[in-house]
Amino acid sequence: MRSALADSGLEIDPGSECLLECFRFVACTSEMSDFLKGLQKSMSEGPGKEVYAPLVETLARDEQDLRWAFTRIFRDRFLLRYGLPEPQVERLMESLAGLSVPHATTQDLYLPRRGKD
């Protein structure tokens, strides 16, 4: 995560909401991919795999569509909420897209905010 921020020219601040948004994006896409890949695997290896073959292909397309939607949502958040310039956001999204958090859970997506000292 740190290298994705650094490659995008963002300052690394462990307490920043922007860093939490990066984690949320990666965890969200990871959780979605883990779920859909597991579903595809069980459908393609289990009983009735011939019947499910077209659905497995549909799930692969759905995964691409969901990834695009998540990317668009978080891209807009970085632009609008944090006021980052578009070229910087594009670099950030490219860097984050290659990351994963295996077995992320929904609970991981929204970490508690740090209290004000």
Side-chain angles (χ1 to χ4, degrees):
M1 199 74 62
R2 288 177 186 256
S3 64
L5 289 168
D7 291 347
S8 304
L10 289 170
E11 185 177 318
I12 300 168
D13 176 3
S16 79
E17 283 292 316
C18 190
L19 178 60
L20 285 175
E21 292 288 7
C22 292
F23 177 75
R24 288 177 184 132
F25 172 73
V26 173
C28 191
T29 56
S30 294
E31 183 177 34
M32 178 265 311
S33 289
D34 287 348
F35 173 75
L36 290 176
K37 283 183 186 350
L39 193 55
Q40 288 171 327
K41 182 177 179 180
S42 67
M43 290 172 75
S44 63
E45 295 176 358
K49 60 185 173 188
E50 297 80 19
V51 174
Y52 292 124
L55 294 174
V56 172
E57 291 176 25
T58 300
L59 285 173
R61 285 191 305 273
D62 290 348
E63 181 180 357
Q64 290 176 344
D65 291 346
L66 284 168
R67 186 172 293 278
W68 180 86
F70 283 131
T71 300
R72 184 64 195 193
I73 290 165
F74 279 89
R75 179 188 173 280
D76 288 349
R77 288 175 79 145
F78 288 120
L79 287 169
L80 301 172
R81 183 177 286 178
Y82 301 103
L84 301 177
E86 193 162 338
Q88 190 174 35
V89 171
E90 295 303 323
R91 286 193 308 270
L92 178 61
M93 297 310 295
E94 285 178 25
S95 296
L96 293 174
L99 301 177
S100 68
V101 181
H103 311 294
T105 66
T106 303
Q107 190 175 33
D108 296 329
L109 301 177
Y110 295 96
L111 300 174
R113 294 177 186 235
R114 279 180 68 182
K116 301 234 182 214
D117 295 332

